[in-house]
Amino acid sequence: MTTHSNQPTPVPANLLQRDKAVYINGSWHVGGGGPSHLAFVDPSKATTFATLIPGSVEQVALAAEAAARAFGAWRATTGAERARNLRAIASGLTKRKPDLVALQMLNNGKPRFEAEIDIDDAIATFEYYADLAEGIDGQQGQTVDLGDTALAGSTYFEPLGPVGLIVAWNFPMVTTAWKVAPALAAGCTAVLKPSEFTTLAELIYGDIASEIGLPPGVLNIVPGGADVGAALCTDRRIRKVSFTGSNATGSRVMAAAANRIVPVSLELGGKSPIIILEDADIDQAVEIASAGIFFNCGQMCSATSRLIVAASIADEFAAALVAKAKLIVVGGPDNPDAQMGPLTTREQFDKVTSVLNQARTDGLNCIAGGAADAALGGFFIQPTIYRDVPADHPVWRNEIFGPVLAIRSFRTVDEAVVLANGTDFGLAATVVGGDKDTAEAVARRIDAGHVWVNTPQLIFPNTAWGGFKASGIGRELGPWGLAAYLGVKHMTRAA
Ligand code: NAD
């Protein structure tokens, strides 16, 4: 089914009422967790539209056991066989795209165009790792010259084992695809723990696994909150944990893994810079800066939330950006003109509004927005911009995870680079400038895992994703995302 309207389409009832929401060993089970149910909220109306019973700590153990039992047969499959399964998952997502888009709009408050980008990204990720899975077979047993005719050496890449995958709520389906696809491609089996705020879309991976005949136990899903996530990190059968979320939780995940000497991949927060050089095209800079902070209502780990602009163009640029921000149509998915939706959770709304209140108390120079959009109901925030924010103020230093931009200006490029790198984070960055070589030279000096030069935040499955410094450990996507689930084995033998 295709739709030509931006209006939300109804989500089928079977996707909202899940009496059995725990997927273990290829079948659905009633959650053993609680006592409270997980509640799913429409953030544009602040109303609950569905609930489900979460999984229990005991069910985490059952899921880990299922993943451990399935591992032997799954690792023995060829890369080509695994690729067939990944392509079937991509087809399953494609078939369900209208329902998934509708669910993302309902549960995350995303405008249709944003929800569609998410699902397309998830599909592309499974297709990309299908290709890489096929390539693995040809890379096995490559010869290493040991310089001794009596000996022969070769290298193999082995899956790490059953893995625990824990994700956040801002891009459900996407961050999950970035983990499930490479893990399964590598030959690992998995237990997935979706965010407690956006579980329903992720459960569709279980529906697809059953539909395509993925061997039982290869992918298991246990919904729940911190207790379920923590249990996954400590289960002795889980041989790696890949986590996307906040730094506070990432630190707990890493500590739990450290106790068992289990590797982790951590995709954490950011406070990413965008540098606007003196020779930048103002219109282009405004478009890129606006998308970098207002897409997904600013709930992006990669949000370029610290804007560093050349002092000579700062007034002209700020005026143009404010004009753009004021034109952004804020609204729920039922507003076909909406360009920016609400924040996704009440917790996030409370956090962002308290930052705005603090900024007001501290007398920050607010040049756009600065408050919740109370008239709309729901968790709406006005696109907000502060200028000349002191470098020691929390609005400049801390991840806000909302549509809140802080601006400072610079006189020399060296000063801009020092400002850009003056953060504990290092996830992403953007540079906008007229002279391509100068802009690229600045990009090279920024501590960030992904830098965009004169483009919006485009992400492709074959490019690396991950952070320097406190933004994380390891890389997702590209061949690095696959390597995160493989161990290197060297074989030395008598020739
Ligand atoms: P969060 O840390 O609160 O939760 C993330 C996940 O961890 C959830 O599934 C949660 O249930 C689980 N969890 C909670 N306590 C746990 C514990 N003790 N052990 C194991 N798991 C536990 O983060 P969030 O609010 O869902 O997401 C927002 C954060 O995620 C932001 O900081 C954002 O920057 C970050 N993020 C990073 C990336 C990236 O690619 N670097 C992508 C998306 C989001």
Side-chain angles (χ1 to χ4, degrees):
M1 184 186 86
T2 54
T3 171
H4 299 289
S5 148
N6 284 331
Q7 293 283 349
T9 42
V11 180
N14 64 320
L15 301 185
L16 301 181
Q17 290 152 16
R18 297 265 192 178
D19 298 333
K20 297 178 176 181
V22 180
Y23 188 68
I24 299 176
N25 207 33
S27 53
W28 292 99
H29 304 266
V30 176
S36 23
H37 292 196
L38 300 185
F40 304 105
V41 174
D42 173 352
S44 66
K45 300 192 173 63
T47 51
T48 299
F49 63 85
T51 61
L52 65 73
I53 309 172
S56 64
V57 166
E58 292 73 24
Q59 285 173 318
V60 172
L62 291 172
E65 178 61 24
R69 275 203 311 270
F71 178 59
W74 185 245
R75 74 178 296 183
T77 56
T78 62
E81 274 176 82
R82 297 196 293 279
R84 269 197 297 281
N85 281 282
L86 293 184
R87 291 212 177 87
I89 294 175
S91 300
L93 289 171
T94 306
K95 195 169 86 180
R96 291 167 173 79
K97 183 174 166 183
D99 292 345
L100 282 165
V101 166
L103 197 43
Q104 304 279 62
M105 292 169 78
L106 178 63
N107 198 172
N108 283 71
K110 296 180 190 242
R112 174 174 294 283
F113 72 96
E114 290 187 357
E116 287 180 341
I117 289 172
D118 281 12
I119 306 309
D120 290 343
D121 185 320
I123 293 166
T125 302
F126 278 95
E127 286 169 347
Y128 171 73
Y129 280 108
D131 291 347
L132 260 56
E134 277 169 346
I136 288 180
D137 294 338
Q139 293 167 23
Q140 301 291 17
Q142 282 181 1
T143 304
V144 180
D145 183 356
L146 303 179
D148 182 338
T149 51
L151 295 171
S154 46
T155 307
Y156 296 85
F157 301 97
E158 308 286 8
L160 293 178
V163 294
L165 311 177
I166 302 172
V167 293
W169 45 262
N170 55 335
F171 291 106
M173 307 302 293
V174 177
T175 40
T176 302
W178 292 8
K179 296 184 191 309
V180 171
L184 267 49
C188 293
T189 54
V191 180
L192 168 67
K193 208 294 280 175
S195 167
E196 56 273 43
F197 297 107
T198 52
T199 312
L200 292 169
E202 311 275 24
L203 295 179
I204 286 170
Y205 282 119
D207 295 338
I208 294 173
S210 287
E211 179 180 281
I212 68 168
L214 190 73
V218 169
L219 176 64
N220 308 276
I221 308 173
V222 185
D227 57 334
V228 168
L232 193 52
C233 296
T234 52
D235 192 285
R236 65 186 167 74
R237 286 154 289 214
I238 297 298
R239 299 313 317 161
K240 157 143 198 172
V241 179
S242 181
F243 171 82
T244 296
S246 63
N247 283 59
T249 310
S251 172
R252 279 181 216 117
V253 167
M254 193 170 171
N259 274 333
R260 299 194 297 119
I261 319 289
V262 169
V264 290
S265 291
L266 301 177
E267 296 292 343
L268 307 177
K271 187 74 181 176
S272 297
I274 170 168
I275 297 179
I276 313 293
L277 296 169
E278 190 170 24
D279 60 350
D281 177 276
I282 298 280
D283 291 342
Q284 181 189 38
V286 163
E287 285 305 316
I288 291 174
S290 171
I293 188 64
F294 299 133
F295 188 85
N296 209 35
C297 198
Q299 302 164 113
M300 296 183 286
C301 48
S302 58
T304 38
S305 51
R306 291 183 303 132
L307 191 144
I308 302 163
V309 58
S312 56
I313 59 164
D315 287 345
E316 185 190 354
F317 171 79
L321 186 61
V322 167
K324 166 87 183 170
K326 289 189 171 160
L327 285 178
I328 291 174
V329 179
V330 178
D334 54 357
N335 176 353
D337 299 323
Q339 295 164 314
M340 189 179 95
L343 293 167
T344 294
T345 71
R346 182 178 296 283
E347 289 77 356
Q348 198 54 31
F349 179 75
D350 291 345
K351 184 184 154 197
V352 175
T353 45
S354 86
V355 169
L356 301 182
N357 292 340
Q358 185 67 48
R360 204 171 305 119
T361 305
D362 294 346
L364 287 197
N365 178 10
C366 182
I367 57 173
D373 223 328
L376 292 171
F379 307 145
F380 293 96
I381 299 280
Q382 298 166 351
T384 295
I385 307 172
Y386 297 104
R387 217 181 143 179
D388 303 322
V389 179
D392 60 353
H393 194 278
V395 164
W396 185 261
R397 300 193 69 79
N398 299 344
E399 182 180 53
I400 297 171
F401 224 54
V404 182
L405 180 67
I407 299 183
R408 288 179 64 82
S409 54
F410 68 89
R411 295 197 182 276
T412 67
V413 169
D414 285 349
E415 195 191 328
V417 171
V418 169
L419 265 177
N421 288 337
T423 168
D424 292 337
F425 296 111
L427 186 60
T430 296
V431 182
V432 186
D435 182 65
K436 187 171 143 290
D437 294 340
T438 307
E440 284 181 24
V442 172
R444 287 294 307 274
R445 296 172 66 189
I446 299 176
D447 305 328
H450 202 124
V451 189
W452 293 278
V453 179
N454 292 335
T455 73
Q457 294 199 2
L458 301 169
I459 300 173
F460 299 89
N462 56 344
T463 58
W465 189 256
F468 284 79
K469 294 155 74 178
S471 285
I473 294 177
R475 291 291 179 272
E476 296 198 300
L477 298 182
W480 309 276
L482 182 65
Y485 297 95
L486 292 168
V488 181
K489 179 190 281 178
H490 180 79
M491 200 182 288
T492 303
R493 57 187 183 279

